[in-house]
Amino acid sequence: MVSETPSSRLQLIVFALVSASFANVYITQPVLPVLQQEFGADMVTVSLTVSAVILGMALSNLPFGSLADRLSIKPIILTGGLMVALCSIAAALVHDLRMLIATRFVQGIFIPALTTCLAAYLARTLPVERLSIVMGSYVSATVLGGLGGRLLGGWVHPPLHWRYAFISAAAFILAATIAAIRGLPPDRQHGKTLSSTTGYLALLRRRELWGFFFCAAGSFSIFSSVFNYLPFRLTGSPFHFPTGVITLLYLSYIVGIFMGPTAGRFSNRHGSGKTLITGSLVLGLSLGIIMLPFIAAVVCGLLGVCAGFFAVHASAVGALNRRLSGGQGRANALYVLFYYLGGWGGITLSGFAYTHWGWNGVVLLCLLLVIVPLTAGIGEMNYRKRRMLQSSGK
């Protein structure tokens, strides 16, 4: 049984598999200018090496969520781990940008086999008191995995040898997959959750949940756009930074490890609405700071963007689940679907904005998108006030 597995061992397995999975997503992000030169392509096209992965994850998230309810976890993880590793090896070997983008898209399709399915397995097999602890490792792994992939692609390996980063990522994902296959307890609960009456369409008919879904899309669109086009900004005037220095700025991402729990405590005390509004305002202020042509402003702006984004993200997820009396798995799968569609759309639209209006065009687009989580926060505050009035009326 899962409940009999030592907590530290299970946390380590979860942390390793999730972080290795997310490391594959962002490998090319810090070396996009290098890819642009190597393949002789424009920045929008080379950015597809990141957004194609995110699109693949978005499209396969719901199907894999359904498979996780029907099949045992180990065959799913084994298939996903092998496919992600094979795509990493293929990405290291191809010499055509279109093939690189295609392999990244296929890689994205199989990453939810290692992340969404693992989360579903944990949710249905762990007791409540252990689930929150192990899922804490899960969330931290998504943050460190994203950071690790960026460091792997732009700092650990010399940028001009970005192909080696894919080989390393393949080795990491294979090791984590083997550890999960050997270390995860048998999944005896699969197939027992199919009687749930709350389907995807029923959840989408609940208009009060739309704000959280759009909040996921809008906030991740901002976050992805800033970090995806930051290398182009910093390699140009007035900075002219090398890739290694640019990659180190991604360390600001680590703010997410601390901001998630902090936002949760703030929400418990002041409400999710105020947390969403505060996070949105921090995002907007930080985007204004990051436009200034000074490295200190860029660093402060990145830290603020990370703090605001993770505050919004953690608060929206918590508020969504508090609204539900059933169908939590499917509701969270929908949230992730909107989340990654927002990331893909943000990167794509910001690419055109950068092409026509430069870095300021990207930031202005992101400032416009801040309206989405801000509106969701106002809606959540109004909802809470109505509930309090109804309670006092009784």
Side-chain angles (χ1 to χ4, degrees), residues 2 12 14 33 86 126 189 291 334 341 349 360 384:
V2 176
L12 183 60
V14 170
L86 286 173
L126 285 178
Q189 300 296 321
M291 293 178 72
L334 282 172
L341 283 176
L349 288 175
N360 288 347
R384 189 183 185 191

Side-chain angles (χ1 to χ4, degrees), residues 338-358:
F338 277 82
Y339 181 86
Y340 285 117
L341 283 176
W344 169 75
I347 290 174
T348 303
L349 288 175
S350 293
F352 291 107
Y354 197 105
T355 301
H356 291 90
W357 303 291

